[in-house]
Amino acid sequence: MAIAPDNCIVLSAGKFDLANGAGSAGIEREFKFLKTAPFPSVTIYFHGGLVDLASGESHASMLNTFFAADQSSPVFLIWETGIKEVVKQNLPAIFNEAIFQRILRRVAQFVKGKLDKSLLPAVTRGISPLQLMREDQIQAELNAAQTGRVMFAQTPVAQFAPAETLTPAERTQIEIEIQDDLQLQIQAQHIANSREAPIAAAKGAIVPGATVTLMDPDVLDDIAPAQPGAKGVLSVVTLAAHIVKVVARVIERFARHRDHGTYLTINEEILREFYVGNAGKFIWDGIKKEVDQAFGTTADCGGASLVNQIRALWTGGVKPRITLIGHSAGSIYVSQLLKELDAKMPADLKVDVVFIAPACTFTVFADALKQATGRIAHLHIFGMGDPLEMENAIAGPLYPASLLYFVSGVLENESDEPILGMQRFYTFPVYTAGFPNIASVKAFAPLTLPLAFGWADFTQGPGANCDMHSHGGWITDAPRTLESVREIVRIGF
């Protein structure tokens, strides 16, 4: 069955994209059809952030065939995100920058020195400077991490004391080391000489403020203020201060046991300090803004129109079983939709929810539960599980872990932000206390059932099997996961 335009809601900035979809007229026709549809259920699918318009339409076409064959009328919300382009283009470009590589080596060197110092006797630890490993040895450790091995494998990071921080003397040592680093000076001066005014781009993104780096413009203003018509001015002191912040945050995350492993944590904190905008945060924030825009008050808001059509269906006496499926960032849409349905639908509406590698935060979903707990009849979460998440490299050697790790470690406002689709936040001991949003989600009755979660590789029979080995490939590369979702659509939970 080919995809029909009327059962696709194509949105841009939350509004109907009339250049690529039928708009409000299409959704009205589709829901008019649903009033007399021969199927006993409706499935509404929200794709994820790595899916562009063409891929969204392709996936909708495949799922349209499956869901219709399973006697469910499908509706697809297709929205243009942009994260895929960042992952494919910006992240490799950042990794290949000479200054990124230099900062990476130096930060790794200081982190290793602090880790080694933390193992010394207390009386020695208080007065000793950081002993720095040779750079060729540091590079060998980085090379090992980039090929899947453990960085500083002989150093017991897990034993790091909770109160461990950089001392004033250690901060001064790092500042002096950086200010005397001739390679960094040359690379930073090259950047200073290439400064240009940043320009706003799509979805709130900002293009670089220099021709030879993707560093954020505000960081460049600190370390290399623009000097029109003149040779760039470099502030090595400010550059050193930024690097000290990176090292301090890495150590803090080790101490709180909120790290993502040594290599990932170092890379995450460098990206957060120097590159976060062009690493995708502006686009990620834009994606979340688009969800809010979709539920606005004007007639062209796609999410609000969807709610109105469901309400008209329901109050007209047509009450099919509704299954909401959210993949990755689609879970943000589903979370908001649940609140909107709770506010506007009769009391007897309940829905089934399936999340596949959900990228929404625990905070977002806990907020949805606070308002709409009674609207969810059943809930199932499929995901890769932590070991596979750590191996699903989205950006080669720069970031050899999954998109969800990247969202948690780089794109959200706080490092290691709890993400709904990551197994670590349900099972790691550090999250068992002091995280009220995690606690409230874990206590939600449907998630306390034995088969509520399917972490790959998981085989528990029809509707509960998961073989996801990549974040974006659940439709094309995970047949048992796809079959499980189809089974839920076909007969429910």
Side-chain angles (χ1 to χ4, degrees):
M1 180 185 295
I3 189 70
D6 288 353
N7 66 344
C8 282
I9 305 170
V10 184
L11 304 182
S12 179
K15 308 294 179 65
F16 290 117
D17 182 355
L18 297 179
N20 295 291
S24 59
I27 191 173
E28 288 171 7
R29 286 194 297 268
E30 174 62 15
F31 274 80
K32 183 178 180 180
F33 162 75
L34 292 179
K35 292 179 181 179
T36 58
F39 302 141
S41 69
V42 174
T43 301
I44 307 175
Y45 178 72
F46 302 78
H47 68 65
L50 288 176
V51 179
D52 56 22
L53 177 61
S55 297
E57 291 175 337
S58 174
H59 291 172
S61 182
M62 287 184 281
L63 292 176
N64 193 54
T65 302
F66 292 145
F67 295 159
D70 295 330
Q71 296 192 335
S72 182
S73 298
V75 176
F76 301 94
L77 191 140
I78 297 175
W79 50 312
E80 302 169 41
T81 56
I83 287 292
K84 183 176 183 179
E85 286 69 24
V86 171
V87 170
K88 290 176 62 177
Q89 300 174 21
N90 284 19
L91 294 187
I94 290 169
F95 181 78
N96 287 324
E97 287 186 13
I99 195 165
F100 174 87
Q101 289 291 333
R102 186 62 185 164
I103 292 172
L104 176 61
R105 281 194 297 275
R106 295 312 312 259
V107 169
Q109 195 177 34
F110 300 134
V111 167
K112 173 62 172 170
K114 181 65 174 179
L115 291 172
D116 288 343
K117 184 178 176 181
S118 71
L119 301 176
L120 296 175
V123 64
T124 308
R125 190 165 65 240
I127 59 174
S128 298
L130 301 178
Q131 299 298 313
L132 303 183
M133 178 182 277
R134 293 200 327 262
E135 285 199 40
D136 62 325
Q137 295 174 319
I138 289 291
Q139 188 60 56
E141 292 284 347
L142 291 170
N143 293 343
Q146 290 161 11
T147 57
R149 287 172 285 171
V150 177
M151 188 173 180
F152 305 145
Q154 303 307 312
T155 305
V157 177
Q159 297 179 22
F160 219 52
E164 198 73 62
T165 59
L166 282 183
T167 67
E170 290 163 351
R171 289 173 177 268
T172 298
Q173 179 186 354
I174 294 171
E175 288 171 350
I176 292 172
E177 286 277 347
I178 295 302
Q179 291 172 25
D180 290 342
D181 189 315
L182 182 59
Q183 288 188 45
L184 267 179
Q185 290 180 32
I186 293 171
Q187 291 158 3
Q189 186 62 61
H190 184 45
I191 289 171
N193 293 340
S194 73
R195 286 302 314 273
E196 60 183 11
I199 302 171
K203 294 183 184 288
I206 301 295
V207 299
T211 59
V212 297
T213 184
L214 285 170
M215 281 187 182
D216 292 338
D218 57 345
V219 174
L220 293 175
D221 287 341
D222 273 351
I223 65 176
Q227 301 288 323
K231 181 180 179 181
V233 175
L234 170 65
S235 174
V236 180
V237 172
T238 307
L239 175 62
H242 281 281
I243 291 176
V244 168
K245 288 180 183 178
V246 172
V247 178
R249 287 201 298 262
V250 172
I251 298 305
E252 179 185 1
R253 288 180 63 183
F254 287 156
R256 294 186 296 137
H257 303 294
R258 299 285 303 279
D259 62 280
H260 292 171
T262 305
Y263 179 70
L264 281 182
T265 304
I266 290 173
N267 276 355
E268 286 170 358
E269 294 305 329
I270 294 173
L271 290 172
R272 293 181 73 90
E273 183 67 19
F274 290 97
Y275 296 91
V276 70
N278 286 301
K281 180 166 175 54
F282 290 134
I283 291 177
W284 186 247
D285 289 346
I287 285 173
K288 292 186 282 188
K289 182 179 179 181
E290 288 198 14
V291 174
D292 291 336
Q293 291 171 326
F295 293 95
T297 58
T298 58
D300 58 348
C301 293
S305 295
L306 177 61
V307 173
N308 291 338
Q309 292 297 328
I310 295 173
R311 178 177 174 81
L313 195 69
W314 209 263
T315 56
V318 180
K319 300 182 178 182
R321 177 169 60 88
I322 297 177
T323 304
L324 307 179
I325 302 177
H327 172 228
S328 189
S331 61
I332 304 172
Y333 252 111
V334 172
S335 297
Q336 184 62 33
L337 177 61
L338 288 168
K339 295 195 294 183
E340 298 290 334
L341 290 174
D342 183 71
K344 298 176 182 178
M345 291 294 296
D348 62 336
L349 174 92
K350 291 184 181 293
V351 299
D352 291 339
V353 177
V354 177
F355 282 143
I356 303 153
C360 69
T361 65
F362 273 81
T363 299
V364 165
F365 191 61
D367 182 59
L369 289 181
K370 189 181 300 182
Q371 179 178 330
T373 298
R375 299 295 190 171
I376 303 174
H378 305 95
L379 172 62
H380 193 97
I381 295 176
F382 294 96
M384 279 187 278
D386 199 65
L388 289 170
E389 293 273 5
M390 293 291 287
E391 297 172 3
N392 181 219
I394 61 163
L398 171 63
Y399 206 81
S402 73
L403 180 67
L404 295 191
Y405 260 97
F406 188 70
V407 170
S408 172
V410 179
L411 300 187
E412 288 292 343
N413 291 334
E414 300 293 334
S415 300
D416 192 44
E417 177 68 34
I419 299 297
L420 192 67
M422 296 178 67
Q423 187 184 26
R424 68 182 278 123
F425 296 109
Y426 300 90
T427 58
F428 282 25
V430 69
Y431 306 109
T432 56
F435 296 86
N437 291 320
I438 294 179
S440 66
V441 169
K442 289 170 68 175
F444 181 48
L447 289 182
T448 64
L449 299 176
L451 300 180
F453 298 91
W455 306 116
D457 285 313
F458 185 81
T459 304
Q460 287 291 331
N465 299 326
C466 183
D467 57 348
M468 290 181 63
H469 284 209
S470 69
H471 180 80
W474 83 273
I475 296 174
T476 56
D477 302 324
R480 285 186 291 162
T481 307
L482 179 60
E483 190 57 39
S484 291
V485 174
R486 290 188 61 188
E487 185 74 4
I488 291 171
V489 168
R490 187 172 69 86
I491 63 172
F493 287 77

